[in-house]
Amino acid sequence: MLPHHQKSLGRDWTAPWENLQRCCWNRHISSCMRWPGHYSRAPYPYFSSRHFSLNWRPPCLFESRTQFQYWNWRPDNLSQTSLIHLSSYIMNSEGDEPSSKRRKHQGTIKRDWEYICNHNKEKTKILGDKNDDPICEDSENKFDFSVMSYNILSQDLLEDNSHLYKHCQRPVLHWSFRFPNILKEIKHYDADVLCLQEVQEDHYGTEIRPSLESLGYHCEYKMRTGRKPDGCAICFKHSKFSLLSVNPVEFYRRDVPLLDRDNVGLVLLLQPKIPSAAFPAICVANTHLLYNPRRGDIKLTQLAMLLAEISSVAHQKDGSFCPIVMCGDFNSVPGSPLYSFIKEGKLNYEGLAIGKVSGQEQSSRGQRILSIPIWPPNLGISQNCVYEVQQVPKVEKTDSDLTQTQLDKTEVLVTAEKLSSKLQHHFSLSSVYSHYFPDTGIPEVTTCHSRSAITVDYIFYSAEKEGVAGQPGAEVALVGGLKLLARLSLLTEQDLWTVNGLPNENNSSDHLPLLAKFRLEL
């Protein structure tokens, strides 16, 4: 039996659930979640019928604290139905680091292309040789394009948060070392559209923009408000698209006390360059939402503002929306209320703790509940995440013409709308990534540093979903819909620590780039 005072569980290991349950549920399992926090649809820690790792250092098993150097454990000696996998992300105090993070390894980890043959998001399959890069092809009735989303880690933010990078060798953290690596990645993957976050303004002007323009990209940039030195950029290839409109979104509003943070978004409307004039434009959005795990009210409001701008830009004359790709660092984990709202198009936040919105917080103790409504009416955005149209009273009928009953009904309706705890949006959005490896159930990660290894980065895209027509918030149709052709595979936390986490000698951000290839058909 494991003693309660055990201080380190090693790197990645498995043990019979019956033994763990009796002695360390309250202490260790609650602190070994891969995501910091969970929601009802994403329970953690997770269970698996597969033995993930046998390369582990056994803990102290006896009161005398006798430590064995090696155990000859074999998969056939373990129960296949009662194993729990403990992540290496275990800390007993703020200053401690998981033992795996003290292992210094060199080398690279290869990321493979996953080909999607069935475009139904619930029944995706992987085809062909993963080592081959899927080629985008255009014709009169189809348009293929690729999108990369990449938080490249602002140098100023790296230096201001140096405690997150104690595991890194100092030379790999210098911008003079990092930028050539980042540019090398961008050249290698050769995406048609780049959505970059944490783009530092001075580096953008002197190095990033000139370098990308030399590669055939047109660049648009929105710096964060206030004194923040970084922002979001969307860059696209001249050969693939022409620019129709640029729409920056500032989440800071002086007249709304809730919105006192300097995050931003950027929305572009791009026209595919293809002989057929019938192809619709494509709306591409990029953002970096607030990090603070305990301010879910601000995160949801920022998301609503971005969705309202997307709705305005992507809306067409016939009432439909053009195809949409929404990228960014959303500082929210899979299965969280914010993530579910994006994918499902609806969220009832009544009784939801403010720190549970993004799924980053494990406990909601001491946290207040989200107010109803979350944002004030003067923001000008409805609960359907669209800009509200100011109602102009008709001249031919004055207030004196209304009966008292009519006035009472009007007041009740307005009050009911303002007090609604249900958010909606009109898009049918899917995630490029599934967030778990299908064979093992191990979570994918998009960011990894000394404190955590989680998924916070996403590429969402508009796709037709079965049975969506009769659902609330789905009244507006999409033009066509994008098909996911392929995606660049993500990695596990254990994969990343074999190369000393992020950043490292070959990967110069604390985030991985996300990459997807889409097809738009007439």
Side-chain angles (χ1 to χ4, degrees), residues 218-239:
H218 173 91
C219 302
E220 294 291 339
Y221 178 70
K222 174 57 183 174
M223 190 176 74
R224 286 202 283 169
T225 52
R227 297 181 178 180
K228 307 299 182 182
D230 65 285
C232 295
I234 300 180
C235 313
F236 61 90
K237 286 189 174 180
H238 291 287
S239 60

Side-chain angles (χ1 to χ4, degrees), residues 379-390:
L379 181 59
I381 295 176
S382 73
Q383 299 293 292
N384 290 329
C385 298
V386 296
Y387 292 123
E388 291 181 320
V389 178
Q390 297 294 329

